[in-house]
Amino acid sequence: MLDMSAAYPPLSPATALVALGRPDREPGAPVSPPLVLSSTFTAGGDLDYAREGNPTWEPFEEVLGTLEGGRALAFGSGMAAATAAFSLVAPGGVIVVPRVAYSGVLASVRQRVEEGQVIARAVDLTDTDAVVASLPGADLIWLESPTNPLLDVADLPAILAAARAQGVRSVVDNTFATPLRQRPLTLGADVVMHSVTKYLSGHSDLLLGALVTATDDEAVRAQLLTHRTLVGAIPGAFDTWLALRGIRTLAVRLDRAEASARELARRLAGLEGVQRVRYPGSGAMIAFELESATVAQGCVDACRLVSASTSLGGVESQIERRRRYAGESADVPESLLRLSVGIEEVEDLWRDLSQAVAAAVDTSR
Ligand SMILES: *Cc1c(COP(=O)(O)O)cnc(C)c1O
C-alpha cells in the first residue's frame, strides 16, 4: 500500500481520508484499490484464506485507523464489532453500561446478563460522579457519546482518566461523533467502536463495523483479531470496498450536514408545537420532542422529503420515533423524534419539517 507518512506529515484528516489506503504509485497501477473477490490465495504469501484477511479490508482499515489515531479492524456490522469488544470480558466479569445508549448494544448486554455470563451496572452517563463511582471492581466500561437517541454527552476525558487509573478497560462507541469530531483514543480510551453502517460509509447501502485500538496495544488487537477470525465476524469484500468509497467524502458530507443540523436545531427550537430540542452543538444528529406520541408519529407520516426509516448518517435525511420499538428504553420520551440530517439543501429540509410539524399539530386539534 502507498506510504504517505513522508508526504507532509501530519496530513489533515480531510486529506488523509482521500490520500491514504491507495496502491503504490507504480506506472500503470490502479489509483483506487481493486475489489478482490477471492476466498483463498496461492500458498506461500502473506494471505492464505479470506476469513483471516482480505486485501480489500486493508485500505479501509488504514484510513479509519489513521483517522482515529490507532489501528482498525473491520467487522461484519457494528454489532459484530461490539460483540468482539465484549469478548474482552472474562466469564463472571463486570461491565458498566449506559442506562440509555444504542438499543442493540444494551440488548446484547442484557442477554449476556440473563445467560449468567457477565454482571452489568447501568449508569447515567451525564452524571460523571456516578459513573466514576461505578468503576471499582469493574472489568470494562462501555461508553457512547453523544448517545443514541437522547444525544446526551458524557465527560469522556474525566471518565476515561478514572477508568485508566483503576485499570478498567474502556470502549467508546464513536458512531455519532465520527473521528472528525472526537478521537477517544487521544482521550484515554482503550478501544473505539464504530457502526460504519452510518456516517463513515454514509450512503445507507451496507452494514459494517469496526474496532480501533491504540497503536502500541498489541495484546488487545491480537485478541480482537482472533475473535474476528474464529467467530467469522468478517465483513464482505464488496461492502468494505463500498465503505472505503464512502469514507473518502466523510469530511464534506459531515461539514454540510452539520451546518444544516445547526440551523435546523435553531429553527426547530422556535417552532410552534416543538417542546424540546436536543442538539449537542456538533455533528448532524438532532432529537426533538412534540406534544405526544401521536403528534410525533403524525409528523413522521407527514414528511415528504425526509425519509421515515430507521438508521442514520446517510446522505439522505431520516426521521424516526424511536419508541415505536418495544425494545427502546423507557427513558426515551414517547414523543421524541430522532432526526439524521443529510446533505440536501437546508431550505428544502426546513420546508418539509416545518410543514410536517404543523400538519401533525393541526390534525391533533
Ligand atoms: C447502528 C448503531 C450500532 C449498531 O451497528 P450496526 O452496524 O447496525 O450493527 C451501534 N451503535 C450505534 C450508536 C449505532 O447507531
Side-chain angles (χ1 to χ4, degrees):
M1 224 177 336
L2 183 62
D3 182 4
M4 272 283 160
S5 59
Y8 307 98
L11 293 175
S12 65
T15 305
L17 281 168
V18 175
L20 298 180
R22 295 199 180 266
D24 283 336
R25 286 183 180 164
E26 286 153 10
V31 168
S32 296
L35 166 58
V36 178
L37 293 171
S38 186
S39 61
T40 186
F41 303 90
T42 303
D46 292 340
L47 288 170
D48 190 18
Y49 185 56
R51 187 155 32 71
E52 290 151 15
N54 179 308
T56 309
W57 299 346
E58 290 163 20
F60 175 78
E61 292 175 339
E62 157 110 352
V63 171
L64 178 58
T66 303
L67 237 64
E68 287 285 8
R71 290 193 295 161
L73 291 168
F75 287 82
S77 67
M79 286 306 296
T83 302
F86 289 132
S87 79
L88 297 172
V89 180
V94 176
I95 306 182
V96 176
V97 290
R99 252 160 64 99
V100 185
Y102 175 67
S103 56
V105 166
L106 295 185
S108 164
V109 171
R110 241 184 339 264
Q111 191 189 14
R112 264 155 225 281
V113 170
E114 279 161 19
E115 289 169 354
Q117 296 179 35
V118 294
I119 294 153
R121 296 177 186 158
V123 291
D124 174 358
L125 279 189
T126 63
D127 185 345
T128 306
D129 290 343
V131 177
V132 170
S134 76
L135 289 173
D139 297 285
L140 183 140
I141 178 165
W142 182 273
L143 295 158
E144 184 182 299
S145 183
T147 59
N148 183 356
L150 292 181
L151 295 167
D152 283 337
V153 174
D155 184 348
L156 288 184
I159 296 169
L160 291 170
R164 194 151 278 261
Q166 304 203 30
V168 179
R169 199 166 264 157
S170 57
V171 184
V172 178
D173 182 338
N174 204 28
T175 299
F176 271 35
T178 86
L180 295 182
R181 298 294 180 266
Q182 174 170 280
R183 299 170 85 214
L185 292 178
T186 67
L187 306 175
D190 292 305
V191 182
V192 174
M193 176 262 175
H194 279 283
S195 171
V196 178
T197 311
K198 316 292 170 52
Y199 286 101
L200 302 187
S201 65
H203 294 73
S204 307
D205 50 11
L206 61 91
L207 272 90
L208 205 86
L211 294 176
V212 191
T213 51
T215 314
D216 57 3
D217 196 348
E218 189 50 48
V220 169
R221 179 185 163 85
Q223 238 179 304
L224 298 171
L225 178 58
T226 300
H227 174 97
R228 179 175 77 176
T229 303
L230 296 185
V231 172
I234 58 166
F238 184 50
D239 289 340
T240 316
W241 185 86
L242 276 176
L244 177 68
R245 194 184 203 274
I247 205 173
R248 299 281 189 213
T249 57
L250 175 64
V252 283
R253 284 187 283 108
L254 189 62
D255 283 354
R256 177 171 172 107
E258 180 180 66
S260 297
R262 201 171 278 145
E263 181 61 22
L264 292 174
R266 193 182 64 75
R267 293 191 196 178
L268 281 168
L271 188 66
E272 195 200 330
V274 175
Q275 300 197 332
R276 178 174 176 186
V277 176
R278 300 163 188 251
Y279 179 64
S282 73
M285 295 300 300
I286 299 173
F288 62 100
E289 292 163 40
L290 299 176
E291 197 180 304
S292 66
T294 312
V295 176
Q297 193 56 49
C299 173
V300 171
D301 297 340
C303 284
R304 297 171 208 162
L305 172 63
V306 177
S307 166
S309 52
T310 197
S311 199
L312 57 106
V315 290
E316 75 292 350
S317 297
Q318 294 180 273
I319 194 164
E320 178 173 54
R321 191 176 76 82
R322 287 296 299 173
R323 286 293 298 279
R324 76 189 173 107
Y325 296 111
E328 186 55 90
S329 164
D331 290 320
V332 175
E334 282 273 9
S335 69
L336 180 137
L337 294 178
R338 186 184 70 188
L339 174 65
S340 170
V341 179
I343 64 169
E344 304 93 335
E345 168 61 42
V346 65
E347 295 302 336
D348 289 328
L349 292 174
W350 175 245
R351 253 193 304 279
D352 193 40
L353 287 168
S354 53
Q355 70 77 27
V357 171
V361 169
D362 268 2
T363 309
S364 74
R365 284 206 175 114

